[in-house]
Amino acid sequence: MQTSFTAEQLRDPDTASSNGVLRSCVHCGMCTATCPTFLLLGDELDSPRGRIYLIKDMLETGRPATEDVVRHVDRCLSCLACMTTCPSGVNYMHLVDHARSYIEQTYRRPLAERWLRRLLGVLLPRPGLFRLALSAARLGRPLGRLIPGQSMMAQRLRGMLALAPAELPGRSPTETPRTYPAQGQRRARVALLTGCAQQVLMPRINEATIRLLTRLGVEVVVAPNAGCCGALNHHIGQHDRAMALARANIEAWSDTADLDAIVINASGCGTTVKDYGFMFRSEPEPWRSKALKVAEMTLDVTQFLARLDYQPARPAPGLTVAYHSACSLQHGQQVTAEPKTLLSRAGFRVVEPNEGHICCGSAGTYNLLQPEIAGRLRDRKLGNLKATRPDLIAAGNIGCITQLAGDMLPVVHTVELLDWMAGGPPPPGVDR
């Protein structure tokens, strides 16, 4: 694709990066075949190729974002299926992230939407505030059906109350920074990102991860001052806040001695942390080098367990697991084989649904900001998963687990099943 940025525009590192992405696109349209929003809406502008044209025009002209551009970019899930499909290696992730940041700088959203996005950007990365917000939402949940109208804001409010859990788990010891010693001879020392929303909604995932890793001879460090990875803010265009959160993690892990890896059990977070090197590419030293080192050390928990040669300690449970491959894991990190191999080794019969490459609709804050599209994708995904006739569903991302829960079938994290088969407790609803 030809571009016509000026020399002055290309002095901006984000614009220079987007120029390279745009020039790698050859208009082939293969991305449209795997784009969830194009699949549902049938609008070329709701496909990666269509959004690329809109973003190119917006950035080249330097005009403020228009309502039309904002609408179509907002509908993008950032599922990154287009990147897996693209034969030209177009890094759509970096392009759309730049577009979102540009939109937030140049477009004035309606007041209610501005406040909602700011509220999400403040609450979700802070476990304490998020817990308080969920407690309030839990009380208001029965009133959700009484919210009138079909406006986007009314749909969002109803959707948020519906997603609020009926019960919140208590605080977990894993929220407190500390070091968990390896059992037996130490084989490795890792830092674990405990996350933000995950430790409030399902702290049992971190607990299972720590139990399993320490049982396998791994010393696990929950580092002081490490917290939200910045993904939630980054993907709604709040660039400065995302960079501040990333900087805190980089500093925390850089100050932790003798790490063999940084292990992440929420694939959305993992995709962002693995991109810290790019995010800090124009930052001064030592931040640039530190960010690159953190990115290179980061592994999804299933990648790390595969390196440890995980083996179960219990007999096969005779259960069929439908494996839901989170978009951030299969498309963002290109991790596809390890979770299925580990589940099979643990004694589960692993099945995969049709359209496994299509997003479930969670996508960070997407199911809060685009509830109608997210709901349609959820129903489509659950239909495909249930068609495999499984006993339960396993996934590697808290957002997907939350999105797919509540439809009778247990939905658990992959690491919970691996921990169970290695001697830990069974996940809720999966005792056999």
Side-chain angles (χ1 to χ4, degrees), residues 378-420:
R378 176 185 185 270
D379 292 345
R380 188 178 185 124
K381 177 64 68 175
L382 278 172
N384 283 322
L385 286 164
K386 289 159 70 175
T388 65
R389 303 174 67 85
D391 296 300
L392 67 150
I393 299 167
N397 190 53
I398 178 64
C400 303
I401 294 169
T402 304
Q403 175 79 342
L404 297 173
D407 198 59
M408 303 302 290
L409 278 175
V411 186
V412 301
H413 196 287
T414 304
V415 81
E416 294 184 273
L417 296 175
L418 300 177
D419 173 53
W420 176 33

Side-chain angles (χ1 to χ4, degrees), residues 231-250:
L232 295 170
N233 299 86
H234 188 55
H235 294 313
I236 55 176
Q238 296 174 356
H239 174 77
D240 291 344
R241 178 59 183 156
M243 291 292 285
L245 292 167
R247 200 179 301 273
N249 286 331
I250 292 166

Side-chain angles (χ1 to χ4, degrees), residues 44-193:
E44 172 76 11
L45 295 180
D46 284 313
S47 74
R49 183 171 63 180
R51 293 185 181 107
I52 284 171
Y53 280 114
L54 292 174
I55 294 167
K56 174 181 181 292
D57 179 68
M58 176 179 69
L59 296 179
E60 279 185 338
T61 61
R63 292 193 301 259
T66 64
E67 182 180 351
D68 190 49
V69 171
V70 171
R71 180 171 63 256
H72 293 295
V73 171
D74 280 355
R75 285 179 183 164
C76 174
L77 293 123
S78 282
C79 70
L80 310 182
C82 54
M83 288 179 58
T84 298
T85 308
C86 179
S88 302
V90 175
N91 197 316
Y92 178 81
M93 178 176 76
H94 291 160
L95 180 67
V96 78
D97 284 345
H98 180 203
R100 286 182 168 134
S101 179
Y102 185 92
I103 285 168
E104 291 309 299
Q105 294 169 23
T106 65
Y107 182 74
R108 189 167 179 82
R109 297 177 183 273
L111 180 62
E113 184 164 352
R114 291 203 306 274
W115 277 105
L116 175 61
R117 295 169 77 91
R118 287 174 186 170
L119 190 65
L120 292 175
V122 169
L123 291 180
L124 293 177
R126 295 173 171 84
L129 290 177
F130 185 45
R131 186 175 281 109
L132 287 174
L134 286 179
S135 296
R138 185 162 52 94
L139 295 175
R141 191 177 181 187
L143 304 177
R145 295 179 182 179
L146 302 179
I147 297 173
Q150 291 302 314
S151 68
M152 179 63 82
M153 190 55 63
Q155 292 180 46
R156 286 169 174 165
L157 291 174
R158 285 194 294 267
M160 288 179 190
L161 290 173
L163 283 170
E167 294 184 10
L168 275 179
R171 290 179 180 271
S172 169
T174 62
E175 293 184 31
T176 304
R178 58 168 287 191
T179 297
Y180 295 83
Q183 296 179 21
Q185 183 177 0
R186 194 179 87 174
R187 302 171 62 190
R189 173 177 160 89
V190 304
L192 175 68
L193 176 66

Side-chain angles (χ1 to χ4, degrees), residues 294-307:
V294 164
E296 291 173 344
M297 291 178 66
T298 298
L299 295 171
D300 181 73
V301 64
T302 58
Q303 289 179 295
F304 188 71
L305 288 170
R307 292 186 181 185

